[in-house]
Amino acid sequence: AIIWKDKKYRYDWLNDNIQKCHNIIVSHQIKQGSVVALEGDFSPNSMALLLALIEKACIIVPLTNTSNKNENRLFDIAQVEFVFRVSSDDVITAEIVSKRVDNTYYKIIRERKHPGLVLFTSGTSGEPKAAVHDFLSLLEKFKKRRLTLRTLNFLLFDHWGGLNTMFYILSNGGVVIATKDRNPENVCKLIEEYKIELLPASPTFLNLLLLSGTHEDYDLSSLKIISYGTEPMPESTLKRLKKIFPEVKLLQTYGLIELGVMQSKSEKDDSLWVKVGGDGYNTRVVDGMLEIKAKSAMLGYLNAPSPFTEDGWFKTGDAVEVNGEYIKILGRKSEIINVGGEKVYPQEVENVILEIDNVAEATVYGEKN
C-alpha cells in the first residue's frame, strides 16, 4: 500500500493501523462531529489516522508542519477542538485546543452524521479562506475502479491535489510512494528505485526538474504519466517536457479546493487546450470566465461570502478561451494587467519571455503608472 523511508507497508498493516488510530481517537474522547486538525505529511500513520477520523465522522482540518507560523489563526478560523501532530518520524501526539463552536456548515455535516473536511486557500492576497466540505461528496468518485499505478504522492497533505492522489491510489489498490523531500534529485531517485509510473507535480517543480538536468542522471523509463496542475503551465516548459519524455503522457488536471479535482483530457500532450468535467461536473463560460456546477462542491467558506451564483454555479475566477469542447486557461481575473486599455495576462507574456535563450524563469506583474 505505502512505501515510506525505504520501508514497505502492506494493506493489512494499514487496516490494523486504522483500528489502532481509532482507539487513539476514542481514548482522547473525540466524538463524531468534533473538529480535528491533523498536522503532518503523507506518512503511514498520518494516512491511517486520516482514514480513522473519516470513519469516526469527524470534521478534519489537514495541515502541513510548515503551517506552524500561521497555526493559531487557522485554528481560530476553523474552530479546531483537537489537534493530532504526526512527526517526521511518524510519531502521533495529541492536544486539546479549544471548546466546541457551531456554525451553519458544521451543523449540516453533524446532522448528516458525515465526516467533514476544511481546506484553506493559499491566502496569497490576504487571509486564507476556509472551504468546508461534506467529505462524503468528495469521496464518492473513488467508488469507481480505475487504472492502478505506482504513484509518487508529490502534492502536499493540506492540498486537495495531494489528498486526491492518495485516495485515488489506495481506493484502487495501488502503491503510494511518500516522501518529505520533494527536490528534483530525490524525486528522480525514487522514480528509478521504485519504478514509479505516475508523477503528479506542479509546473514550477517540472520547470525546476528540467533546469537541474537531474533527469539525465537517473533511469525514469518507468514513468507513464506526468500530470500537472495547481498553477498555469508555461507553454515552453510543456514543449520541453514532451521533447525529453516523448513516451510519457502529459496530462493537465484541473481542480479547486472548493470543488475537488475533475476528470480532464488534454487535446495533445504538448497542448494547453484541455477538456474538463466528467461525472458530477458541468461547465459553462460566462463573459470569458469559467463557471462550474459540481455535486462535490463545498458547502461554503467559514470566513468569506459565498462564491456561488443563485442557481449554484461556482465562479472560478479563471479566464478562459474556448475552442469546441476544449478550453485554455489564460489566468486569474485578479491577475489581469490593464495596459492602456489592453487587457494583458501575465502568463501569456511569461510564455514568450521563457522561449528566449538563457532565460530560466520569468515573472510578469503590473505596476501602477
Side-chain angles (χ1 to χ4, degrees), residues 154-155 159 184 199-211 226-238 240-241 251-253 272 347 350-351 354 360-361:
F154 179 86
L155 300 168
H159 188 290
L199 171 64
S202 65
T204 298
F205 170 80
L206 293 169
N207 193 35
L208 198 62
L209 174 69
L210 297 180
L211 291 173
I226 294 174
S227 64
Y228 59 92
T230 77
E231 63 189 20
M233 165 68 90
E235 215 154 332
S236 55
T237 304
L238 188 58
R240 272 162 52 224
L241 268 175
L251 178 67
Q252 182 175 181
T253 60
L272 291 173
Q347 182 67 34
E350 287 167 7
N351 284 341
L354 286 167
E361 189 56 275

Side-chain angles (χ1 to χ4, degrees), residues 129-146:
K129 293 193 287 253
V132 183
H133 284 271
D134 179 330
F135 217 147
L136 287 196
S137 301
L138 284 169
L139 296 176
E140 187 64 31
K141 70 173 186 176
F142 300 107
K143 288 180 179 174
K144 192 171 182 178
R145 292 308 295 263
R146 296 190 188 276

Side-chain angles (χ1 to χ4, degrees), residues 105-282:
Y105 302 132
Y106 287 178
K107 205 173 272 180
I108 291 167
I109 291 166
R110 286 165 181 156
E111 279 169 5
R112 291 176 182 172
K113 296 186 176 169
H114 286 181
L117 177 68
V118 180
L119 294 169
F120 285 98
T121 59
S122 56
T124 44
S125 52
E127 184 166 87
K129 293 193 287 253
V132 183
H133 284 271
D134 179 330
F135 217 147
L136 287 196
S137 301
L138 284 169
L139 296 176
E140 187 64 31
K141 70 173 186 176
F142 300 107
K143 288 180 179 174
K144 192 171 182 178
R145 292 308 295 263
R146 296 190 188 276
L147 186 65
T148 302
L149 296 167
R150 296 169 70 82
T151 303
L152 183 70
N153 225 132
F154 179 86
L155 300 168
L156 296 178
F157 190 64
D158 61 349
H159 188 290
W160 180 244
L163 294 170
N164 183 73
T165 302
M166 184 201 81
F167 288 120
Y168 174 85
I169 300 308
L170 293 181
S171 64
N172 287 295
V175 186
V176 172
I177 293 97
T179 181
K180 197 173 175 62
D181 187 353
R182 292 170 169 86
N183 69 61
E185 179 89 27
N186 190 52
V187 167
C188 290
K189 180 170 154 282
L190 291 171
I191 293 169
E192 179 179 279
E193 193 171 345
Y194 296 115
K195 302 287 178 277
I196 288 169
E197 298 168 299
L198 169 59
L199 171 64
S202 65
T204 298
F205 170 80
L206 293 169
N207 193 35
L208 198 62
L209 174 69
L210 297 180
L211 291 173
S212 69
T214 316
H215 57 278
E216 294 167 6
D217 304 330
Y218 293 88
D219 176 8
L220 308 185
S221 59
S222 61
L223 273 181
K224 291 178 180 171
I225 301 173
I226 294 174
S227 64
Y228 59 92
T230 77
E231 63 189 20
M233 165 68 90
E235 215 154 332
S236 55
T237 304
L238 188 58
K239 289 195 183 326
R240 272 162 52 224
L241 268 175
K242 190 61 203 168
K243 205 171 172 184
I244 289 164
F245 300 105
E247 303 302 315
V248 177
K249 182 176 173 58
L250 303 177
L251 178 67
Q252 182 175 181
T253 60
Y254 186 78
L256 298 157
I257 70 155
E258 295 89 351
L259 304 176
V261 177
M262 283 164 262
Q263 282 178 275
S264 58
K265 183 175 184 274
S266 295
E267 188 185 32
K268 294 192 301 238
D269 273 8
D270 60 351
S271 166
L272 291 173
W273 290 94
V274 64
K275 197 194 298 186
V276 298
D279 292 346
Y281 291 97
N282 290 309

